[in-house]
Amino acid sequence: MASKESAIFRDDTGSPNSESVESGVDVAGERALLRKIDVRVLPTVSFLYLLSFLDRSNVANAKIEGLAEALHMTGNQYLTGLTLYFVGYVLFEIPCNIVLKRTTPKFWLPTLTIVWGVVATLIGIVQNLAGFFVVRFFLGVAESGLFPGVVFYLS
């Protein structure tokens, strides 16, 4: 039979932790798990979010390098393309969250990342204004579930 002392979890100082005794949680094990998550998951997720930010803002660099001239865009058409990204993002954020709840982040986040990568690659083959509009809309759709999915995954 285990003694009462063996049921008491100890903190880093070696003294019994009253919170862990009451809740039955291994504080040291929980800290080790959180450290493992911090080391393995956070850098990857942070890198994905950095790429997402760069992808959103990279269209300004493309305009400077001649995107507007190559696609024969006016200023308002360029702004429409920028706006279509956010239209797709807003329209599909809630459906992406619903899919996330029905599946798991382990499945959904890599799927979104692959779709996002394919759409971002397709930007390179755009030949006209309509193609630019379509790709910007679907880029917003692909990125709409990333941030809510990461927040759900880390919570």
Side-chain angles (χ1 to χ4, degrees), residues 53-120:
F53 175 75
L54 290 175
D55 195 36
R56 271 193 300 261
S57 61
N58 200 28
V59 73
N61 294 333
K63 183 180 181 194
I64 291 170
E65 290 298 321
L67 174 74
E69 292 81 23
L71 298 180
H72 309 292
M73 278 193 273
T74 64
N76 284 338
Q77 290 170 330
Y78 173 75
L79 292 176
T80 301
L82 294 180
T83 304
L84 283 173
Y85 168 86
F86 293 104
V87 169
Y89 192 97
V90 169
L91 287 178
F92 282 87
E93 191 168 15
I94 292 175
C96 280
N97 287 338
I98 292 170
V99 171
L100 178 67
K101 287 282 192 177
R102 292 180 187 237
T103 62
T104 63
K106 183 172 134 179
F107 167 78
W108 187 237
L109 289 177
T111 302
L112 281 176
T113 305
I114 290 170
V115 170
W116 171 35
V118 168
V119 173

Side-chain angles (χ1 to χ4, degrees), residues 1-145:
M1 183 161 97
S3 68
K4 186 173 182 178
E5 182 65 31
S6 65
I8 297 176
F9 298 104
R10 300 191 179 273
D11 60 12
D12 292 338
T13 63
S15 62
N17 185 333
S18 62
E19 179 182 322
S20 63
V21 172
E22 292 172 6
S23 65
V25 175
D26 180 12
V27 176
E30 185 177 355
R31 284 184 186 155
L33 177 64
L34 289 175
R35 207 171 303 117
K36 190 175 187 179
I37 289 171
D38 288 346
V39 169
R40 293 189 180 177
V41 175
L42 284 179
T44 305
V45 169
S46 298
F47 184 67
L48 274 177
Y49 197 69
L50 171 69
L51 290 178
S52 172
F53 175 75
L54 290 175
D55 195 36
R56 271 193 300 261
S57 61
N58 200 28
V59 73
N61 294 333
K63 183 180 181 194
I64 291 170
E65 290 298 321
L67 174 74
E69 292 81 23
L71 298 180
H72 309 292
M73 278 193 273
T74 64
N76 284 338
Q77 290 170 330
Y78 173 75
L79 292 176
T80 301
L82 294 180
T83 304
L84 283 173
Y85 168 86
F86 293 104
V87 169
Y89 192 97
V90 169
L91 287 178
F92 282 87
E93 191 168 15
I94 292 175
C96 280
N97 287 338
I98 292 170
V99 171
L100 178 67
K101 287 282 192 177
R102 292 180 187 237
T103 62
T104 63
K106 183 172 134 179
F107 167 78
W108 187 237
L109 289 177
T111 302
L112 281 176
T113 305
I114 290 170
V115 170
W116 171 35
V118 168
V119 173
T121 303
L122 292 176
I123 291 175
I125 63 169
V126 168
Q127 298 293 321
N128 57 23
L129 185 62
F132 177 70
F133 287 165
V134 169
V135 169
R136 287 295 294 175
F137 177 81
F138 282 108
L139 189 63
V141 171
E143 287 189 32
S144 65

